Amino acid sequence: MKQSFFISLSFLFFSLNLVAQDGKMVGATFWNGTRQQKKPLGSPYVQNMFAPATVDNIKTPANVRYNVYKDEFEFIAPKGDTLILDRIEDFGSITFKGSNKKYRLVVYTDKSNSLVNGYLMELYTKPNLVLYKKENINLTGEKIAKTTLERDMPAKYTKIGDTYFLKTPNGNTTEFPDGRKALVKLFPDKKQPLESYLKENKIDFDNESDLIKIVDFLTTN
């Protein structure tokens, strides 16, 4: 029994201690147990709390929240379970009642020119143009200490800059142009008035209110 107990312990904990020629002990102690994973810091949600929202084709308001990192909506079922909303066109519009934030399920082209079926926040709508915003949260992986002078760093969710998208008259939704040249290229028929407008106005392509001004100009000129 004692021998069996000793063998079991040897798989979990053992010491590597060697005796040098001068009689001093050298080496290190190793622990071979299962390492407990730490919960990531931060949050995958912009808003952690569930909030009432109207969802397409659902008669009564549902308590939902948006997992930005996974790009999916969670809702509380009648029995109290937390479930994932099916990412289908039938439930393609979600509007939070308090903030009036409206999310749409949109097929859009991302920066790598890949088609994505995901949720975008509807910011500004005109007859032929729609400005969307995509919230972004990154997950940085856990960092394990390699020496005793370092310490473990848990994984962490971090809110990063938003990405803006534009639905054009041809029905395509792509990332909003990042500068004057790219914008003019997207609307070649408005080249002259658009260039004049951008020269006369200090437009910041990283400023949300300035992007709305551009949409207004494009729909009135």
Side-chain angles (χ1 to χ4, degrees):
M1 180 69 179
K2 288 183 178 179
Q3 185 178 5
S4 175
F5 178 73
F6 176 78
I7 292 173
S8 298
L9 278 181
S10 67
F11 283 98
L12 296 175
F13 180 79
F14 64 93
S15 295
L16 179 60
N17 288 308
L18 303 178
V19 181
Q21 289 183 359
D22 59 3
K24 294 180 178 179
M25 301 296 291
V26 296
T29 301
F30 297 87
W31 176 256
N32 198 29
T34 302
R35 192 173 168 280
Q36 186 175 4
Q37 185 130 9
K38 295 180 181 178
K39 183 180 179 181
L41 300 176
S43 172
Y45 311 96
V46 170
Q47 179 179 317
N48 289 310
M49 301 294 292
F50 286 86
T54 56
V55 182
D56 274 359
N57 294 304
I58 295 180
K59 293 181 180 179
T60 58
N63 286 318
V64 304
R65 65 179 178 180
Y66 178 45
N67 187 319
V68 179
Y69 177 71
K70 292 185 177 181
D71 191 24
E72 61 188 21
F73 275 90
E74 302 170 1
F75 69 96
I76 300 177
K79 293 184 178 180
D81 299 324
T82 299
L83 304 177
I84 306 300
L85 187 68
D86 289 337
R87 193 181 296 185
I88 57 176
E89 187 59 35
D90 285 350
F91 310 133
S93 178
I94 301 100
T95 304
F96 285 95
K97 300 193 75 175
S99 62
N100 207 34
K101 282 185 177 180
K102 180 183 287 187
Y103 292 83
R104 294 277 192 183
L105 185 61
V106 179
V107 176
Y108 61 90
T109 305
D110 65 10
K111 185 171 285 187
S112 63
N113 210 31
S114 300
L115 281 178
V116 178
N117 183 39
Y119 295 103
L120 300 177
M121 187 192 301
E122 188 176 287
L123 277 184
Y124 195 59
T125 303
K126 285 290 185 176
N128 294 318
L129 297 172
V130 181
L131 178 64
Y132 294 107
K133 177 167 74 173
K134 184 181 185 303
E135 298 161 312
N136 297 303
I137 289 179
N138 272 354
L139 176 61
T140 305
E142 184 181 19
K143 183 181 178 182
I144 308 302
K146 295 180 180 179
T147 70
T148 55
L149 299 177
E150 299 176 341
R151 62 176 182 174
D152 291 350
M153 298 294 291
K156 183 178 180 181
Y157 291 106
T158 305
K159 178 77 172 69
I160 59 174
D162 301 318
T163 308
Y164 294 88
F165 289 83
L166 184 65
K167 182 179 180 180
T168 55
N170 61 13
N172 295 331
T173 302
T174 58
E175 192 167 334
F176 201 99
D178 59 1
R180 180 182 61 83
K181 289 184 179 180
L183 181 63
V184 171
K185 185 177 180 180
L186 189 62
F187 296 94
D189 57 321
K190 300 179 182 290
K191 184 177 186 297
Q192 187 174 351
L194 190 53
E195 285 184 336
S196 298
Y197 173 78
L198 295 174
K199 282 182 180 179
E200 294 169 3
N201 298 272
K202 294 181 179 179
I203 296 296
D204 182 357
F205 281 80
D206 293 322
N207 186 296
E208 187 175 297
S209 61
D210 280 0
L211 300 187
I212 291 175
K213 290 178 183 177
I214 292 174
V215 172
D216 274 335
F217 176 83
L218 290 170
T219 54
T220 55
N221 290 271

